[in-house]
Amino acid sequence: MKLNPIFAMFLAAGLGGWTVAALAEDSVDVGDVNVTGQTLGNGQMVKEEAPKARSTVTKEALEKMAPTGNAIDKLKYTPGVNVSSDDSTGLSGFNFTMRGMSSDQVGVSLDGIPVNDSGNYNLYPNLLGDPENLGEVFATQGSSEIDAPHIGSSGGNIGLVTLRPEKDFGVFGKQTIGSNNLRKTFVRLNTGEYMGLSNYISASHTEGDKWRGEGVLRADKVTLNSLFDDHEGNTLNAIINYHQQDNYNYSNPSKAQYKTYGRDFDYLDSPSYNSNGKIRTGTGTTVNGVTRGTGYSVLMRNPFENVTASLTGRFQLRDDVLLTVAPYYYWANGGSFSNFTGPYSLNRTTGNAGGNYDLSNLATSAQYNADGTANGGLYYRPSITETWRPGINTSIKWDINDEHTFSTGYWYERARQRQSQPYIRLTESGKPVDISPGYDDGNAVVDANGNVIQGRNQFTVTPAQKLFAQDVWSVTPDLSLTAGIAYDYSERQGNNKGSLTAKKEKRNQTYHEFLPSFSAAYQVNAENQAFYNLTRNMRTPPNYVLYNKGDSLSLKPELSWNQELGWRFATEDVALSATLFYLQFKDRQVSSYNVTEGDYEMLNVGTVINKGVELELSGLLPHDFNYYASYTYTESEQQDDLLYRGVNLPTEGKTVAGVPRDMFNASLGWDNGRYYSNIVGKYVGKQYGDMTNDESITDFAVADLNLGVHLPVNKNLMKAATIRLSVTNLFDKDYLSGVKSTQFSAVDYDPRSTNSTKSDPYYTIGEERTVSVSFEGSF
């Protein structure tokens, strides 16, 4: 039976129970939460006092969602945020928008470490840590924090905060099992506090099958957290996170492919072969005129390894002066292969436009075709990125008097990034001999002079710095004004070391802007607060501009002005917030294909205006029931037409691709302190796949169910024990959840048909009904 999306939404809101979280001050949880009663918002809504829109998901809410989702997945019910993930493991790819801004326009940090890619600002789940170790996740939907360590944040900020060590010795363990052979084991050991020093170390292993197609998802994580507190206002907190994964990618269909193949669409299970026994490349399998491709699962790998380390020192220099010094280091190495047309070919006659290699040691295409092997001349060519990223954040906060608090600080970072594409040999069955090759790996193909042949060979250095100053003026006990200014300066230093398609060349560019901010908060009475916020944000162009053809290097930074007018109401039983927002950003950056140059370039596609309203409500009901709801209305409108491939595309007045106009979340729950249940319904409106709004995916509604029981325990043996059950997509809705790859136009606007503007958008398939059960205990 097919359910109308809106009917299903209200049905979801009316079934089952849920739990909600406490009106608490904006702070970090410092230990495991033992639920003893009802709280507002299931941890989805806390009492925010910042004079700007901000939403916080607390530890309680994190625990009561699906146990394996990553930190961004946990924001899926938050106002303004639309998340679409390949699956619920938290290990695979995802996209999100926030107030109409894409994920690469939003700055994300983990304990003060920026975790967006330093080159293109993409965000990857492997950098988000174990959700069991998170104390909270917060989002400032339109404004970057003035001290946030980002150069690519024109559309807001997301922060992940790690739990602090507990003061008592203890062990926390959690075992999760679920659909598609999902298994996750998590253990955390707290040493307790001794002479001001407390620590924990945690380790986890997650493994499961892809829910569609062949392949597995596998990850290991280790976290070390040490806190020294002299109990006189001085602390040192060191956090180290290690992650290693070996994942298989999902394939994302076009709308036509989804219509033909359904939600089971993915890469081929094994290679297909030509009549002469060679592994096939090219367009591949076609059904009803729709191509499935020749990419096969064993090639579609995504190995990755990374380490993040931070040391945050807070020193109370005087009763009224606090100094914070926070150096950090980020290292990551890995890459992905997801070529829809199968393995890459390489032979003596392969295009060598860069002139960097002598390919005379390779056979010709004809010789490879006649060599009697299935894989002759065919290779695994992953896109590998290795990043080294040291930085430091410093700030001083001075309580000048009862009316003024002044803060100033400085951030510096020097990111280095090497991006390569070596050709790796295949076995007879089509498997790569090495899925994690180094820059000059012995398994990579070399030319006649012994040089590793690269499809891409770039080294980027990005020094970045920010200086800020801010004053908070308490004009009256009820009225506070905050004014600040930041100066953001960054460089892009690019060294194209030469590849098959590019000559050796060095380029560089600098970007700098003043970013002012102003906000006001007025406490009308004990229950009501009003606020206004005005913030300027900036996004430095990605490192692509150093290597693309055309005039990419002169691209201007993306600048935005964010305005918010909000109201908050809170009592012991009800909390309500409403925010009007108007966000204008100009010089929007989009990657395009330059027909004349035969390569990609970055385009300035003009101005975009995002405006709308965010509503959030939570409260308590009689007999241990409670509720939570949020609604977002967003108009995200392009203000200019776009010249693409010599054709003027009618994009003025059109909606930005991937941005739904309406989003609604509704939750109803029950919690008596021992048992809890909650059901959450989510409705997402229509999303366009292209900038001309010629193709879209329909609206949808899904529901998730969560149940749990806190078991009675012998306190001499255990501190606490809980069993939790989660079901995502409860009604097994078959749907497309989001836009994975936006295109300029899904139809051809070239009347001469010499330069087609048509390209198919690609989408994320919503995961089928998935069940997980977790058993956890504290000792």
Side-chain angles (χ1 to χ4, degrees), residues 637-657:
E637 185 178 287
Q638 301 165 106
Q639 303 299 300
D640 304 283
D641 285 338
L642 170 64
L643 184 66
Y644 174 60
R645 294 192 172 187
V647 178
N648 197 48
L649 297 181
T651 53
E652 181 182 355
K654 301 297 177 62
T655 298
V656 173

Side-chain angles (χ1 to χ4, degrees), residues 587-760:
D587 300 319
R588 184 185 176 207
Q589 304 156 10
V590 174
S591 180
S592 171
Y593 191 79
N594 185 315
V595 177
T596 304
E597 297 284 354
D599 202 350
Y600 287 92
E601 68 174 323
M602 293 296 296
L603 294 182
N604 182 334
V605 298
T607 299
V608 172
I609 293 178
N610 296 339
K611 57 186 177 182
V613 61
E614 295 165 350
L615 304 174
E616 195 173 18
L617 171 68
S618 68
L620 302 178
L621 296 170
H623 308 295
D624 299 322
F625 283 93
N626 44 51
Y627 60 90
Y628 171 82
S630 67
Y631 171 71
T632 304
Y633 176 84
T634 305
E635 289 185 8
S636 186
E637 185 178 287
Q638 301 165 106
Q639 303 299 300
D640 304 283
D641 285 338
L642 170 64
L643 184 66
Y644 174 60
R645 294 192 172 187
V647 178
N648 197 48
L649 297 181
T651 53
E652 181 182 355
K654 301 297 177 62
T655 298
V656 173
V659 180
R661 186 186 66 178
D662 298 286
M663 292 189 295
F664 176 57
N665 304 296
S667 235
L668 181 67
W670 177 78
D671 184 356
N672 71 351
R674 171 165 292 182
Y675 300 94
Y676 73 85
S677 62
N678 68 78
I679 189 164
V680 188
K682 182 177 183 67
Y683 171 80
V684 177
K686 178 173 70 173
Q687 301 172 66
Y688 290 105
D690 61 347
M691 295 174 65
T692 55
N693 292 179
D694 288 301
E695 183 175 292
S696 64
I697 57 175
T698 59
D699 57 350
F700 65 88
V702 292
D704 301 333
L705 173 68
N706 302 288
L707 306 170
V709 54
H710 303 283
L711 302 175
V713 295
N714 184 333
K715 295 295 184 179
N716 295 324
L717 300 176
M718 293 185 71
K719 297 177 182 177
T722 305
I723 300 176
R724 306 182 192 273
L725 168 70
S726 293
V727 184
T728 58
N729 193 3
L730 180 63
F731 302 117
D732 203 23
K733 173 75 173 179
D734 190 343
Y735 67 105
L736 293 173
S737 64
V739 182
K740 189 72 171 185
S741 177
T742 298
Q743 301 298 337
F744 288 91
S745 175
V747 301
D748 190 3
Y749 279 88
D750 182 9
R752 302 160 298 172
S753 298
T754 56
N755 262 338
S756 176
T757 62
K758 181 182 185 301
S759 294
D760 289 329

Side-chain angles (χ1 to χ4, degrees), residues 356-512:
N356 300 299
Y357 304 107
D358 179 356
L359 304 180
S360 62
N361 61 317
L362 303 179
T364 66
S365 176
Q367 289 170 330
Y368 279 129
N369 284 333
D371 65 6
T373 65
N375 59 4
L378 300 178
Y379 300 92
Y380 172 73
R381 196 189 79 179
S383 294
I384 300 170
T385 299
E386 186 168 12
T387 304
W388 303 264
R389 197 170 180 181
I392 187 170
N393 254 322
T394 61
S395 66
I396 293 179
K397 180 182 177 183
W398 178 23
D399 295 322
I400 299 174
N401 51 40
D402 291 341
E403 289 78 34
H404 289 276
T405 297
F406 177 77
S407 301
T408 186
Y410 176 72
W411 166 61
Y412 177 79
E413 176 185 273
R414 187 175 186 270
R416 294 174 296 145
Q417 193 171 69
R418 180 168 60 201
Q419 296 173 289
S420 58
Q421 290 178 341
Y423 288 78
I424 306 301
R425 304 179 193 279
L426 302 177
T427 66
E428 284 291 312
S429 62
K431 295 181 180 180
V433 298
D434 185 358
I435 64 166
S436 301
Y439 176 71
D440 52 0
D441 192 274
N443 291 311
V445 179
V446 298
D447 73 353
N449 298 316
N451 299 312
V452 175
I453 301 171
Q454 301 279 4
R456 176 183 68 175
N457 193 9
Q458 302 161 357
F459 191 87
T460 307
V461 180
T462 307
Q465 49 194 319
K466 176 189 283 187
L467 180 66
F468 77 89
Q470 178 177 274
D471 181 65
V472 180
W473 178 22
S474 298
V475 182
T476 71
D478 299 321
L479 175 64
S480 65
L481 304 177
T482 302
I485 189 166
Y487 178 68
D488 213 326
Y489 181 94
S490 60
E491 300 177 59
R492 291 289 196 189
Q493 303 169 4
N495 182 1
N496 195 329
K497 296 189 172 185
S499 64
L500 282 171
T501 59
K503 297 181 183 296
K504 295 181 180 180
E505 183 182 17
K506 291 184 179 181
R507 287 182 170 187
N508 64 78
Q509 186 62 280
T510 60
Y511 310 91
H512 52 91

Side-chain angles (χ1 to χ4, degrees), residues 522-535:
Y522 181 64
Q523 196 69 38
V524 180
N525 53 37
E527 292 82 24
N528 291 275
Q529 182 201 46
F531 67 86
Y532 170 76
N533 175 45
L534 173 66
T535 306

Side-chain angles (χ1 to χ4, degrees), residues 267-272 279 294-300 342-343 426 429-430:
Y267 298 111
L268 303 177
D269 292 346
S270 58
S272 59
I279 294 175
T294 55
Y296 51 95
S297 291
V298 74
L299 276 183
M300 308 304 162
L426 302 177
S429 62

